[in-house]
Amino acid sequence: MIKDDNNCVGIRENFNVSIAINDQILFSKKINLNDFINIRDIENKVIAAVDASYTKNDLGIGVAIAFEYPSYNIIDCELIARKVCIPYIPGLLAFREMYLISTPLLKLLKKVKPQVLFVDGHGYAHPRFAGIATHIGIVFDIPTIGIAKKKLVGEEVVENNELYLRFKDRLVSKILLINNKKIYVSPGNKISLENSFNITKLMIGKFNLPIPIYLADKLSKIAKRNLEVSYLDSSNIFSINNNLSNLCKKLINKIK
DNA sequence: GCGACAG
DNA sequence: ATCTTGTCGC
């Protein structure tokens, strides 16, 4: 049988679009765009990233990974697999993915103290200035940077020879070019737009994404492959769930 | 009404 | 995000 925790009872029923939108307006009032991290304070320190991936039948995988900068040696990781209960609605991504990400992230933060957390998705560059990077940054009270491959809101503008996204008269995102592809960087919480951009710029490697996001994305996809094998073998989500933390550590070696 | 629309 | 056939390159 499937463990209660993997069902959507009490989650799907409690999700309501207009309440969710109201929650985001409340979040937007709590955003702190001041810098709680200096670009000089990340050398040889811990950085973290979170991401989610999905399989068939409403199964989602959430991962949290911590590594050292600039070696990118992975220090720790956590992951979880559970049923996905909330649909994807543009602007409300956080309500779908927080559910997958919060558990592994909480476990990770009990063990390591990252200077900053990278999140796959927008932060400030959001219809209500509260994307998933903002949700996570406020709930976990940590500096977060939102990294998105596609824009959600705003128009491109040039200011001081640099490319930004402007929305409702505010500069909400600064666009980073990696191999001629646009990456939309926006602050989540406890960090400024410029600092978000400058720190992200340091994280460019040989991939088309900033390294933290690349690593989290890679881990979630490797985990998914391994989960599907286990799932088919055992047909039992419960038994998989108990070993996810160990599985995560085993998968670290496969990333590189 | 029409187009846009993170993952 | 995921699904997918074929193609390019190491």
Side-chain angles (χ1 to χ4, degrees), chain A residues 102-220:
Chain A
S102 58
T103 300
L105 179 57
L106 188 59
K107 284 185 184 176
L108 191 80
L109 293 180
K110 282 184 178 175
K111 295 183 285 183
V112 298
K113 188 66 190 164
Q115 301 294 301
V116 61
L117 173 70
F118 282 81
V119 180
D120 197 337
H122 291 288
Y124 197 52
H126 179 275
R128 291 163 291 280
F129 308 100
I132 186 168
T134 312
H135 284 239
I136 293 175
I138 290 173
V139 169
F140 290 90
D141 192 32
I142 180 179
T144 50
I145 297 174
I147 303 293
K149 300 175 259 326
K150 291 186 285 189
K151 77 159 194 175
L152 177 58
V153 294
E155 55 173 351
E156 286 183 18
V157 293
V158 176
E159 299 263 330
N160 302 319
N161 235 341
E162 309 247 47
L163 208 49
Y164 291 84
L165 226 43
R166 184 176 63 198
F167 179 64
K168 292 189 173 175
D169 284 332
R170 307 184 200 182
L171 294 180
V172 293
S173 169
K174 189 162 177 179
I175 300 171
L176 179 63
L177 289 174
I178 302 181
N179 298 329
N180 277 323
K181 288 185 201 170
K182 291 169 182 169
I183 299 294
Y184 302 90
V185 180
S186 66
N189 189 43
K190 287 193 159 186
I191 195 166
S192 67
L193 174 59
E194 290 300 324
N195 208 13
S196 300
F197 179 86
N198 291 332
I199 289 175
T200 303
K201 202 173 174 183
L202 293 178
M203 309 282 166
I204 298 178
K206 57 180 175 178
F207 312 110
N208 292 329
L209 286 171
I211 295 174
I213 294 297
Y214 174 84
L215 291 177
D217 181 69
K218 201 78 176 170
L219 177 63
S220 72

